[in-house]
Amino acid sequence: MHFDEICAYEKQYVMQTYGRNEIALVNGKGAHLYDSEGKEYIDLTSGIGVNCLGYQHEAQVQAVCDQVQHLMHCSNLFYSEPMACVAKELIESTCMSRVFFANSGAEANEGMIKTARKYSSDHYGNDRYKIVTLRQSFHGRTMTTLMATGQDKFHQYFYPLPEGFVYASASDFEEFKTHIDEHVCAVIMEMIQGEGGVVPLDQEFVKQVSAYCKERDVLVCVDEVQTGIGRTGTLFCYEQYGIEPDIVSAAKGLGGGVPIGAVLCGEKCADTLQAGQHGSTFGGNLLACRSAQAVLSVVNQPSFLQEVKEKGTYLKEQLLALHSPAIHDVRGLGLMIGVGVDPEKRSGYVKQLQEKGVLVLTAGADTIRLLPPLVITKEDIDQAVACMKEVLK
Ligand SMILES: *Cc1c(COP(=O)(O)O)cnc(C)c1O
């Protein structure tokens, strides 16, 4: 189908909840994408941080094709080799003890919140349920994760929303502390606020929050839906902050394009949710886990993670070397990079970049967000930067 026809169908039949770019992507290879009219792009979006192995990665294609030819789904009422293997890999690579599989980031965060509430109710009764999240955070679109999201603009129209969420400063520890009272059971943080504008939290702040909460048995929960699975140059970003969380959520990059989410629980709450207390029909199905297995076999290698760090540093340096007055700052870790620009001009930049064959994301009010496939080459980075040089003059 050609773009005009696809576009006409969508405009008539699909709920208009997204501001879409005016192209339809149909094919990809490495970090390159092709639209319905055959135009080629360098992808700095990865389908919002999802396609970490890029497109047509051999290990992933083989694994997924093999799984499709055997069994795609069998429900959580049966044992599953791919799930067992992904669980083993995740747990042995982290300070966590057990994992629950979901289908998305929001769903993983729901599981994280349920675990925190149950842990607190088991140990302290029903009056210790409040969850502190950070201003400008983003945790998902379900009713509860919306309420966990520390940005009011997401809440309007949808009240009543679940109770028990409190928003604290993402940088001022003294302000943060004022929200921790005897009713608080957990705090949730993103190490780098992704949707909020690619804003890395201060390491000292994170360490202080973690220590303060641990002293009070307030669970330290880290939302690694965007930052996880090698995105920032370590399997999870919390590793670079020197903390040991009690619960970690993951999703986006984990399946490399097949929907999957995960809740990783440390020792404290590894056995908090018992049979019948949580579940999901599709969660961690065979196809999703098989794809995740392929993703981890590639991404969770020291040399691969080191390359992500190096390519991230290289991309940041190249952007800074443009000395463009249009670039206000460059933030982020690994291949999760935010470029601060004039908010009025941002959508124009995105459009011009697309015309020149470079796809980028936005975040917050004034940020161009770059989440390239982790397999992107230096040559592709150079080419993308050359286009950015022309557009961000
Ligand atoms: C994308 C994102 C989510 C929501 O994930 P979905 O898969 O869209 O439900 C939650 N938390 C963070 C930090 C995210 O970036």
PDB file of all heavy atoms in Angstrom, residues 7 21 23 41 47 109-110 124-125 138 158 181 187 193 204-206 226 233 240 274 329 336-337 367 370 379 387:
ATOM      1  N   CYS A   7      -2.600   6.283   5.246  1.00  0.00           N
ATOM      2  CA  CYS A   7      -2.917   7.467   6.028  1.00  0.00           C
ATOM      3  C   CYS A   7      -4.436   7.685   6.083  1.00  0.00           C
ATOM      4  O   CYS A   7      -5.003   7.950   7.145  1.00  0.00           O
ATOM      5  CB  CYS A   7      -2.212   8.664   5.397  1.00  0.00           C
ATOM      6  SG  CYS A   7      -2.394  10.160   6.325  1.00  0.00           S
ATOM      7  N   ASN A  21       4.218  11.091  12.724  1.00  0.00           N
ATOM      8  CA  ASN A  21       5.053  11.585  11.627  1.00  0.00           C
ATOM      9  C   ASN A  21       4.414  11.092  10.338  1.00  0.00           C
ATOM     10  O   ASN A  21       3.876   9.985  10.295  1.00  0.00           O
ATOM     11  CB  ASN A  21       6.473  11.032  11.749  1.00  0.00           C
ATOM     12  CG  ASN A  21       7.143  11.460  13.032  1.00  0.00           C
ATOM     13  OD1 ASN A  21       7.302  12.647  13.285  1.00  0.00           O
ATOM     14  ND2 ASN A  21       7.506  10.500  13.858  1.00  0.00           N
ATOM     15  N   ILE A  23       4.882   9.459   7.739  1.00  0.00           N
ATOM     16  CA  ILE A  23       5.453   8.371   6.947  1.00  0.00           C
ATOM     17  C   ILE A  23       4.982   7.043   7.549  1.00  0.00           C
ATOM     18  O   ILE A  23       4.582   6.991   8.719  1.00  0.00           O
ATOM     19  CB  ILE A  23       7.007   8.375   6.922  1.00  0.00           C
ATOM     20  CG1 ILE A  23       7.587   8.451   8.345  1.00  0.00           C
ATOM     21  CG2 ILE A  23       7.530   9.517   6.063  1.00  0.00           C
ATOM     22  CD1 ILE A  23       9.108   8.309   8.411  1.00  0.00           C
ATOM     23  N   TYR A  41      16.078   5.924   6.039  1.00  0.00           N
ATOM     24  CA  TYR A  41      16.341   6.764   7.210  1.00  0.00           C
ATOM     25  C   TYR A  41      17.380   6.118   8.117  1.00  0.00           C
ATOM     26  O   TYR A  41      17.447   4.887   8.204  1.00  0.00           O
ATOM     27  CB  TYR A  41      15.065   6.945   8.058  1.00  0.00           C
ATOM     28  CG  TYR A  41      13.900   7.501   7.311  1.00  0.00           C
ATOM     29  CD1 TYR A  41      13.032   6.652   6.626  1.00  0.00           C
ATOM     30  CD2 TYR A  41      13.644   8.874   7.276  1.00  0.00           C
ATOM     31  CE1 TYR A  41      11.941   7.149   5.932  1.00  0.00           C
ATOM     32  CE2 TYR A  41      12.568   9.383   6.578  1.00  0.00           C
ATOM     33  CZ  TYR A  41      11.716   8.515   5.907  1.00  0.00           C
ATOM     34  OH  TYR A  41      10.649   9.012   5.213  1.00  0.00           O
ATOM     35  N   GLY A  47      11.984   2.804  17.795  1.00  0.00           N
ATOM     36  CA  GLY A  47      10.599   2.549  18.205  1.00  0.00           C
ATOM     37  C   GLY A  47      10.409   2.897  19.672  1.00  0.00           C
ATOM     38  O   GLY A  47       9.855   2.115  20.447  1.00  0.00           O
ATOM     39  N   ASN A 109       5.216  -1.778  35.923  1.00  0.00           N
ATOM     40  CA  ASN A 109       5.137  -0.850  37.056  1.00  0.00           C
ATOM     41  C   ASN A 109       3.942  -1.143  37.953  1.00  0.00           C
ATOM     42  O   ASN A 109       4.014  -0.983  39.166  1.00  0.00           O
ATOM     43  CB  ASN A 109       5.110   0.595  36.555  1.00  0.00           C
ATOM     44  CG  ASN A 109       6.476   1.041  36.070  1.00  0.00           C
ATOM     45  OD1 ASN A 109       7.494   0.466  36.457  1.00  0.00           O
ATOM     46  ND2 ASN A 109       6.508   2.059  35.226  1.00  0.00           N
ATOM     47  N   GLU A 110       2.827  -1.576  37.366  1.00  0.00           N
ATOM     48  CA  GLU A 110       1.687  -2.012  38.175  1.00  0.00           C
ATOM     49  C   GLU A 110       2.122  -3.160  39.094  1.00  0.00           C
ATOM     50  O   GLU A 110       1.775  -3.186  40.278  1.00  0.00           O
ATOM     51  CB  GLU A 110       0.537  -2.504  37.278  1.00  0.00           C
ATOM     52  CG  GLU A 110      -0.157  -1.427  36.488  1.00  0.00           C
ATOM     53  CD  GLU A 110      -1.363  -0.833  37.213  1.00  0.00           C
ATOM     54  OE1 GLU A 110      -1.847  -1.427  38.193  1.00  0.00           O
ATOM     55  OE2 GLU A 110      -1.799   0.253  36.787  1.00  0.00           O
ATOM     56  N   TYR A 124       3.529  -4.361  57.932  1.00  0.00           N
ATOM     57  CA  TYR A 124       3.148  -3.184  58.739  1.00  0.00           C
ATOM     58  C   TYR A 124       1.642  -2.919  58.781  1.00  0.00           C
ATOM     59  O   TYR A 124       1.210  -1.899  59.285  1.00  0.00           O
ATOM     60  CB  TYR A 124       3.847  -1.929  58.191  1.00  0.00           C
ATOM     61  CG  TYR A 124       5.358  -2.048  58.150  1.00  0.00           C
ATOM     62  CD1 TYR A 124       6.008  -2.412  56.973  1.00  0.00           C
ATOM     63  CD2 TYR A 124       6.122  -1.794  59.288  1.00  0.00           C
ATOM     64  CE1 TYR A 124       7.388  -2.534  56.934  1.00  0.00           C
ATOM     65  CE2 TYR A 124       7.502  -1.911  59.250  1.00  0.00           C
ATOM     66  CZ  TYR A 124       8.131  -2.280  58.073  1.00  0.00           C
ATOM     67  OH  TYR A 124       9.494  -2.385  58.038  1.00  0.00           O
ATOM     68  N   GLY A 125       0.831  -3.792  58.196  1.00  0.00           N
ATOM     69  CA  GLY A 125      -0.615  -3.559  58.201  1.00  0.00           C
ATOM     70  C   GLY A 125      -1.047  -2.641  57.068  1.00  0.00           C
ATOM     71  O   GLY A 125      -0.256  -2.300  56.195  1.00  0.00           O
ATOM     72  N   PHE A 138       7.749   9.784  34.622  1.00  0.00           N
ATOM     73  CA  PHE A 138       6.742   9.130  33.780  1.00  0.00           C
ATOM     74  C   PHE A 138       6.774   7.638  34.072  1.00  0.00           C
ATOM     75  O   PHE A 138       7.823   7.014  34.016  1.00  0.00           O
ATOM     76  CB  PHE A 138       7.007   9.372  32.286  1.00  0.00           C
ATOM     77  CG  PHE A 138       5.973   8.712  31.419  1.00  0.00           C
ATOM     78  CD1 PHE A 138       4.764   9.352  31.154  1.00  0.00           C
ATOM     79  CD2 PHE A 138       6.185   7.442  30.897  1.00  0.00           C
ATOM     80  CE1 PHE A 138       3.785   8.730  30.385  1.00  0.00           C
ATOM     81  CE2 PHE A 138       5.210   6.815  30.120  1.00  0.00           C
ATOM     82  CZ  PHE A 138       4.017   7.467  29.866  1.00  0.00           C
ATOM     83  N   PHE A 158      -9.165  12.303  33.883  1.00  0.00           N
ATOM     84  CA  PHE A 158      -9.312  10.878  34.203  1.00  0.00           C
ATOM     85  C   PHE A 158      -9.678  10.584  35.654  1.00  0.00           C
ATOM     86  O   PHE A 158      -9.687   9.432  36.061  1.00  0.00           O
ATOM     87  CB  PHE A 158      -8.035  10.128  33.818  1.00  0.00           C
ATOM     88  CG  PHE A 158      -7.704  10.279  32.355  1.00  0.00           C
ATOM     89  CD1 PHE A 158      -6.563  10.935  31.944  1.00  0.00           C
ATOM     90  CD2 PHE A 158      -8.572   9.786  31.385  1.00  0.00           C
ATOM     91  CE1 PHE A 158      -6.266  11.095  30.601  1.00  0.00           C
ATOM     92  CE2 PHE A 158      -8.288   9.933  30.038  1.00  0.00           C
ATOM     93  CZ  PHE A 158      -7.132  10.596  29.635  1.00  0.00           C
ATOM     94  N   ASP A 181       6.759   9.790  55.434  1.00  0.00           N
ATOM     95  CA  ASP A 181       6.186   9.660  56.778  1.00  0.00           C
ATOM     96  C   ASP A 181       5.845   8.188  57.041  1.00  0.00           C
ATOM     97  O   ASP A 181       6.206   7.321  56.239  1.00  0.00           O
ATOM     98  CB  ASP A 181       4.956  10.568  56.954  1.00  0.00           C
ATOM     99  CG  ASP A 181       3.837  10.223  55.968  1.00  0.00           C
ATOM    100  OD1 ASP A 181       3.802   9.062  55.476  1.00  0.00           O
ATOM    101  OD2 ASP A 181       3.008  11.097  55.686  1.00  0.00           O
ATOM    102  N   VAL A 187       9.363   4.222  47.301  1.00  0.00           N
ATOM    103  CA  VAL A 187       9.664   5.355  46.424  1.00  0.00           C
ATOM    104  C   VAL A 187       9.998   4.774  45.054  1.00  0.00           C
ATOM    105  O   VAL A 187      10.590   3.695  44.963  1.00  0.00           O
ATOM    106  CB  VAL A 187      10.823   6.211  46.981  1.00  0.00           C
ATOM    107  CG1 VAL A 187      12.040   5.366  47.310  1.00  0.00           C
ATOM    108  CG2 VAL A 187      11.238   7.292  45.987  1.00  0.00           C
ATOM    109  N   GLN A 193      15.195  10.591  33.849  1.00  0.00           N
ATOM    110  CA  GLN A 193      13.793  10.812  33.505  1.00  0.00           C
ATOM    111  C   GLN A 193      13.690  10.923  31.993  1.00  0.00           C
ATOM    112  O   GLN A 193      14.173  11.886  31.397  1.00  0.00           O
ATOM    113  CB  GLN A 193      13.269  12.045  34.222  1.00  0.00           C
ATOM    114  CG  GLN A 193      13.311  11.855  35.741  1.00  0.00           C
ATOM    115  CD  GLN A 193      12.633  12.965  36.507  1.00  0.00           C
ATOM    116  OE1 GLN A 193      12.758  14.131  36.158  1.00  0.00           O
ATOM    117  NE2 GLN A 193      11.921  12.598  37.563  1.00  0.00           N
ATOM    118  N   GLU A 204      24.439  11.781  43.856  1.00  0.00           N
ATOM    119  CA  GLU A 204      24.425  11.984  45.307  1.00  0.00           C
ATOM    120  C   GLU A 204      22.989  11.951  45.838  1.00  0.00           C
ATOM    121  O   GLU A 204      22.703  11.326  46.860  1.00  0.00           O
ATOM    122  CB  GLU A 204      25.110  13.328  45.634  1.00  0.00           C
ATOM    123  CG  GLU A 204      25.765  13.394  46.984  1.00  0.00           C
ATOM    124  CD  GLU A 204      26.513  12.114  47.372  1.00  0.00           C
ATOM    125  OE1 GLU A 204      27.286  11.538  46.586  1.00  0.00           O
ATOM    126  OE2 GLU A 204      26.272  11.678  48.513  1.00  0.00           O
ATOM    127  N   PHE A 205      22.079  12.605  45.114  1.00  0.00           N
ATOM    128  CA  PHE A 205      20.660  12.610  45.484  1.00  0.00           C
ATOM    129  C   PHE A 205      20.117  11.181  45.546  1.00  0.00           C
ATOM    130  O   PHE A 205      19.488  10.782  46.531  1.00  0.00           O
ATOM    131  CB  PHE A 205      19.868  13.445  44.470  1.00  0.00           C
ATOM    132  CG  PHE A 205      18.367  13.361  44.635  1.00  0.00           C
ATOM    133  CD1 PHE A 205      17.719  14.103  45.615  1.00  0.00           C
ATOM    134  CD2 PHE A 205      17.613  12.527  43.807  1.00  0.00           C
ATOM    135  CE1 PHE A 205      16.336  14.015  45.764  1.00  0.00           C
ATOM    136  CE2 PHE A 205      16.232  12.431  43.957  1.00  0.00           C
ATOM    137  CZ  PHE A 205      15.589  13.181  44.944  1.00  0.00           C
ATOM    138  N   VAL A 206      20.405  10.395  44.514  1.00  0.00           N
ATOM    139  CA  VAL A 206      19.899   9.021  44.445  1.00  0.00           C
ATOM    140  C   VAL A 206      20.446   8.188  45.603  1.00  0.00           C
ATOM    141  O   VAL A 206      19.708   7.419  46.242  1.00  0.00           O
ATOM    142  CB  VAL A 206      20.259   8.373  43.087  1.00  0.00           C
ATOM    143  CG1 VAL A 206      19.976   6.877  43.093  1.00  0.00           C
ATOM    144  CG2 VAL A 206      19.484   9.052  41.963  1.00  0.00           C
ATOM    145  N   GLN A 226      12.800   2.468  30.410  1.00  0.00           N
ATOM    146  CA  GLN A 226      13.507   3.091  29.291  1.00  0.00           C
ATOM    147  C   GLN A 226      15.031   2.954  29.417  1.00  0.00           C
ATOM    148  O   GLN A 226      15.731   2.765  28.433  1.00  0.00           O
ATOM    149  CB  GLN A 226      13.120   4.573  29.208  1.00  0.00           C
ATOM    150  CG  GLN A 226      13.552   5.241  27.932  1.00  0.00           C
ATOM    151  CD  GLN A 226      12.787   6.525  27.626  1.00  0.00           C
ATOM    152  OE1 GLN A 226      13.280   7.386  26.947  1.00  0.00           O
ATOM    153  NE2 GLN A 226      11.577   6.668  28.117  1.00  0.00           N
ATOM    154  N   GLY A 233      24.555   1.796  28.770  1.00  0.00           N
ATOM    155  CA  GLY A 233      25.918   1.265  28.797  1.00  0.00           C
ATOM    156  C   GLY A 233      26.183   0.262  29.903  1.00  0.00           C
ATOM    157  O   GLY A 233      27.274  -0.299  29.989  1.00  0.00           O
ATOM    158  N   GLN A 240      25.141   2.216  37.664  1.00  0.00           N
ATOM    159  CA  GLN A 240      26.034   3.380  37.568  1.00  0.00           C
ATOM    160  C   GLN A 240      25.783   4.379  38.686  1.00  0.00           C
ATOM    161  O   GLN A 240      26.539   5.333  38.846  1.00  0.00           O
ATOM    162  CB  GLN A 240      25.873   4.064  36.205  1.00  0.00           C
ATOM    163  CG  GLN A 240      26.321   3.171  35.052  1.00  0.00           C
ATOM    164  CD  GLN A 240      26.126   3.819  33.699  1.00  0.00           C
ATOM    165  OE1 GLN A 240      26.682   4.864  33.414  1.00  0.00           O
ATOM    166  NE2 GLN A 240      25.335   3.184  32.844  1.00  0.00           N
ATOM    167  N   GLN A 274       2.233 -14.210  46.057  1.00  0.00           N
ATOM    168  CA  GLN A 274       2.088 -15.666  46.061  1.00  0.00           C
ATOM    169  C   GLN A 274       1.043 -16.103  45.033  1.00  0.00           C
ATOM    170  O   GLN A 274       0.370 -15.265  44.437  1.00  0.00           O
ATOM    171  CB  GLN A 274       1.680 -16.124  47.462  1.00  0.00           C
ATOM    172  CG  GLN A 274       2.805 -16.000  48.501  1.00  0.00           C
ATOM    173  CD  GLN A 274       3.933 -16.994  48.269  1.00  0.00           C
ATOM    174  OE1 GLN A 274       3.704 -18.166  47.998  1.00  0.00           O
ATOM    175  NE2 GLN A 274       5.165 -16.508  48.347  1.00  0.00           N
ATOM    176  N   ASP A 329      22.120  22.325  25.283  1.00  0.00           N
ATOM    177  CA  ASP A 329      22.926  21.394  26.067  1.00  0.00           C
ATOM    178  C   ASP A 329      22.719  19.973  25.553  1.00  0.00           C
ATOM    179  O   ASP A 329      21.799  19.717  24.779  1.00  0.00           O
ATOM    180  CB  ASP A 329      22.601  21.479  27.566  1.00  0.00           C
ATOM    181  CG  ASP A 329      21.186  21.012  27.867  1.00  0.00           C
ATOM    182  OD1 ASP A 329      20.303  21.154  26.999  1.00  0.00           O
ATOM    183  OD2 ASP A 329      20.955  20.494  28.973  1.00  0.00           O
ATOM    184  N   MET A 336      21.316   7.011  25.419  1.00  0.00           N
ATOM    185  CA  MET A 336      20.079   7.715  25.796  1.00  0.00           C
ATOM    186  C   MET A 336      20.464   9.179  25.960  1.00  0.00           C
ATOM    187  O   MET A 336      21.025   9.577  26.982  1.00  0.00           O
ATOM    188  CB  MET A 336      19.537   7.145  27.109  1.00  0.00           C
ATOM    189  CG  MET A 336      18.291   7.838  27.619  1.00  0.00           C
ATOM    190  SD  MET A 336      17.566   6.887  28.983  1.00  0.00           S
ATOM    191  CE  MET A 336      16.083   7.857  29.276  1.00  0.00           C
ATOM    192  N   ILE A 337      20.217   9.960  24.902  1.00  0.00           N
ATOM    193  CA  ILE A 337      20.782  11.302  24.847  1.00  0.00           C
ATOM    194  C   ILE A 337      19.689  12.340  24.595  1.00  0.00           C
ATOM    195  O   ILE A 337      18.820  12.154  23.731  1.00  0.00           O
ATOM    196  CB  ILE A 337      21.872  11.372  23.748  1.00  0.00           C
ATOM    197  CG1 ILE A 337      23.048  10.470  24.168  1.00  0.00           C
ATOM    198  CG2 ILE A 337      22.358  12.809  23.518  1.00  0.00           C
ATOM    199  CD1 ILE A 337      24.128  10.336  23.138  1.00  0.00           C
ATOM    200  N   THR A 367      13.377  19.222  24.408  1.00  0.00           N
ATOM    201  CA  THR A 367      14.445  18.249  24.181  1.00  0.00           C
ATOM    202  C   THR A 367      14.194  17.391  22.951  1.00  0.00           C
ATOM    203  O   THR A 367      13.089  16.889  22.757  1.00  0.00           O
ATOM    204  CB  THR A 367      14.612  17.351  25.432  1.00  0.00           C
ATOM    205  OG1 THR A 367      14.923  18.194  26.534  1.00  0.00           O
ATOM    206  CG2 THR A 367      15.702  16.314  25.245  1.00  0.00           C
ATOM    207  N   LEU A 370      17.389  11.192  21.625  1.00  0.00           N
ATOM    208  CA  LEU A 370      18.013  10.212  20.735  1.00  0.00           C
ATOM    209  C   LEU A 370      18.125   8.873  21.457  1.00  0.00           C
ATOM    210  O   LEU A 370      18.772   8.776  22.512  1.00  0.00           O
ATOM    211  CB  LEU A 370      19.407  10.701  20.320  1.00  0.00           C
ATOM    212  CG  LEU A 370      19.483  12.138  19.765  1.00  0.00           C
ATOM    213  CD1 LEU A 370      20.922  12.496  19.426  1.00  0.00           C
ATOM    214  CD2 LEU A 370      18.582  12.324  18.548  1.00  0.00           C
ATOM    215  N   GLU A 379      29.696   4.941  11.615  1.00  0.00           N
ATOM    216  CA  GLU A 379      29.430   5.576  10.317  1.00  0.00           C
ATOM    217  C   GLU A 379      28.016   6.164  10.308  1.00  0.00           C
ATOM    218  O   GLU A 379      27.801   7.275   9.835  1.00  0.00           O
ATOM    219  CB  GLU A 379      29.568   4.562   9.162  1.00  0.00           C
ATOM    220  CG  GLU A 379      30.989   4.066   8.904  1.00  0.00           C
ATOM    221  CD  GLU A 379      31.528   3.169  10.009  1.00  0.00           C
ATOM    222  OE1 GLU A 379      30.798   2.245  10.446  1.00  0.00           O
ATOM    223  OE2 GLU A 379      32.667   3.396  10.457  1.00  0.00           O
ATOM    224  N   CYS A 387      23.724  15.422   9.247  1.00  0.00           N
ATOM    225  CA  CYS A 387      22.388  15.974   8.974  1.00  0.00           C
ATOM    226  C   CYS A 387      21.985  16.947  10.070  1.00  0.00           C
ATOM    227  O   CYS A 387      21.385  18.000   9.788  1.00  0.00           O
ATOM    228  CB  CYS A 387      21.351  14.857   8.877  1.00  0.00           C
ATOM    229  SG  CYS A 387      21.555  13.827   7.432  1.00  0.00           S
TER     230      CYS A 387
END
